């Protein structure tokens, strides 16, 4: 089930982020990850629209939107490949139409997911805090014609 984030979801949301980030972002420093871990509840969640994927009464993943930007999408690794990431992205697309996202070039899991969903490359640039290469991707709004 996809539903809006509630403050009582924070522990499960953070557990999903932690597990998924360890898998997809193993190239990031522990110091950088520690800062992100601190910023999620204090900075990111209060300033974004967040939807969660709930399974058996537990939050197993989430997507956070800043306008039409996908600021984050993370799922518990044991939930990968089961359609929950697609369901979260479908919700974002339903709400916003055209979507954009930035993904580290080194994040093969994320890049594969976005490519499969239909995102296309807009630009490559450096991520200022880490110096790593980022890809900016865009998913065009679905055509209403036809």
């Amino acid at each position: 089930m996809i539903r809006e984030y509630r403050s009582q979801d924070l522990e499960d949301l953070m557990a999903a982020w932690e597990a998924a980030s360890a898998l997809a972002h193993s190239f990031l420093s522990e110091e950088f990850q520690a800062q992100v871990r601190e910023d999620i509840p204090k900075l990111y969640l209060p300033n974004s629209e967040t939807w969660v994927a709930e399974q058996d009464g537990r939050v197993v993943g989430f997507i956070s939107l800043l306008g039409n930007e996908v600021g984050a999408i993370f799922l518990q690794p044991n939930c990968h490949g089961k359609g929950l990431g697609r369901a979260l992205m479908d919700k974002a697309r339903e709400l916003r139409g055209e979507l954009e996202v930035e993904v580290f070039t080194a994040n093969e899991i994320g890049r594969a997911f976005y490519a499969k969903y239909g995102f296309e490359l807009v630009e490559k640039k450096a991520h200022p805090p880490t110096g790593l290469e980022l890809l900016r991707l865009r998913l065009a709004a679905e055509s209403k014609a036809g």
Side-chain angles (χ1 to χ4, degrees), residues 3-50:
R3 64 166 174 78
E4 283 190 84
Y5 168 78
R6 299 187 290 252
S7 59
Q8 60 264 38
D9 298 327
L10 182 61
E11 189 174 320
D12 285 346
L13 181 147
M14 291 302 296
W17 173 81
E18 193 82 43
S21 192
L23 188 62
H25 294 152
S26 60
F27 52 88
L28 293 172
S29 73
E30 181 51 42
E31 296 78 19
F32 182 81
Q33 290 290 70
Q35 185 61 57
V36 173
R37 191 176 297 110
E38 195 175 301
D39 289 345
I40 289 171
K42 293 179 183 173
L43 182 64
Y44 299 140
L45 289 174
N47 292 300
S48 65
E49 179 181 350
T50 299

Side-chain angles (χ1 to χ4, degrees), residues 13-133:
L13 181 147
M14 291 302 296
W17 173 81
E18 193 82 43
S21 192
L23 188 62
H25 294 152
S26 60
F27 52 88
L28 293 172
S29 73
E30 181 51 42
E31 296 78 19
F32 182 81
Q33 290 290 70
Q35 185 61 57
V36 173
R37 191 176 297 110
E38 195 175 301
D39 289 345
I40 289 171
K42 293 179 183 173
L43 182 64
Y44 299 140
L45 289 174
N47 292 300
S48 65
E49 179 181 350
T50 299
W51 294 80
V52 299
E54 186 179 87
Q55 199 170 54
D56 300 324
R58 279 191 51 239
V59 169
V60 295
F62 68 99
I63 190 168
S64 291
L65 302 170
L66 300 146
N68 76 327
E69 177 93 11
V70 176
I73 181 169
F74 289 92
L75 275 176
Q76 285 284 359
N78 66 344
C79 294
H80 289 187
K82 298 181 180 177
L84 293 172
R86 176 167 284 282
L88 286 165
M89 195 62 75
D90 288 348
K91 182 63 177 180
R93 195 164 196 196
E94 172 192 322
L95 293 167
R96 298 291 190 275
E98 181 176 280
L99 297 171
E100 294 199 10
V101 67
E102 289 184 344
V103 60
F104 287 103
T105 301
N107 179 353
E108 294 177 19
I109 295 168
R111 285 182 27 236
F113 172 77
Y114 296 128
K116 189 175 178 183
Y117 200 90
F119 280 82
E120 295 180 351
L121 181 65
V122 175
E123 70 173 320
K124 292 182 182 182
K125 62 184 183 178
H127 180 244
T130 63
L132 297 170
E133 185 178 69

